[in-house]
Amino acid sequence: FADADELLERALVLRRTHDPDNRAGLLPLLEARARIYARSGRVEEAEALGREILALSQDTFGHDSPRLAEPLEELADLKVRQERPDEAVPLIEESARLLWQSGGPDQPELAQVLDKQAALLRKAGYHLQAAGTWTAVRDIGRRLAHRWDRN
């Protein structure tokens, strides 16, 4: 991972130096670096990059863009890895809200995020909310299955 991190750092320096107005061009490099940090156990550093990625994504795409769902979800995962589920819950809830707002209730991606949300709620001790969220996941699955069966 050290070689990859070094290469990504050089790429980030080059991108910032030679194309400073293209901040969105930094996103794939920052995301790759955050994944490397997370996989190598450098979770706090990955979280710091995750916050930078989220802020840059908000500046680039807007605060209500469904493109924020993934960085929010990644940041929530990092909070969970640090045994901070209470901090992860609002992030995953916002991810679900953005997906719902952009594509309605019957999306496989939304069901996946809601499933994570339910697991986080359960881990944080919110068992009743978790059960309700899993019910929503089940209902999405049923509607999607019904739609697929008709086609």
Side-chain angles (χ1 to χ4, degrees):
F1 290 124
D3 291 340
D5 186 35
E6 185 179 322
L7 288 172
L8 284 168
E9 177 59 29
R10 280 200 232 147
L12 284 163
V13 168
L14 287 171
R15 173 71 71 171
R16 286 179 172 133
T17 303
H18 297 290
D19 197 6
D21 295 332
N22 183 9
R23 295 191 57 213
L26 297 172
L27 284 170
L29 299 170
L30 292 170
E31 290 164 348
R33 197 169 199 197
R35 280 191 298 276
I36 287 171
Y37 285 176
R39 288 183 184 145
S40 62
R42 297 165 62 184
V43 182
E44 291 83 12
E45 292 169 277
E47 181 187 346
L49 280 174
R51 287 191 306 269
E52 183 178 353
I53 291 164
L54 179 59
L56 183 56
S57 296
Q58 288 170 329
D59 290 347
T60 302
F61 307 118
H63 288 270
D64 280 333
S65 171
R67 294 183 73 173
L68 299 180
E70 188 174 337
L72 285 162
E73 192 176 343
E74 294 293 330
L75 197 51
D77 287 342
L78 292 167
K79 300 277 189 185
V80 170
R81 287 186 61 185
Q82 296 175 72
E83 299 296 323
R84 293 164 35 207
D86 284 337
E87 294 177 35
V89 169
L91 297 168
I92 204 77
E93 286 175 342
E94 179 65 5
S95 177
R97 183 192 71 78
L98 292 170
L99 288 172
W100 183 292
Q101 178 180 300
S102 71
D106 294 338
Q107 307 172 62
E109 298 84 6
L110 178 59
Q112 290 172 337
V113 170
L114 288 174
D115 188 54
K116 277 188 180 183
Q117 179 181 337
L120 285 173
L121 288 166
R122 185 172 158 262
K123 187 170 186 161
Y126 304 110
H127 301 286
L128 191 57
Q129 287 176 284
T133 304
W134 270 316
T135 299
V137 171
R138 182 201 64 208
D139 292 346
I140 291 170
R142 285 180 177 167
R143 287 190 302 269
L144 290 172
H146 179 71
R147 186 181 312 156
W148 291 330
D149 285 345
R150 290 189 357 225
N151 292 333

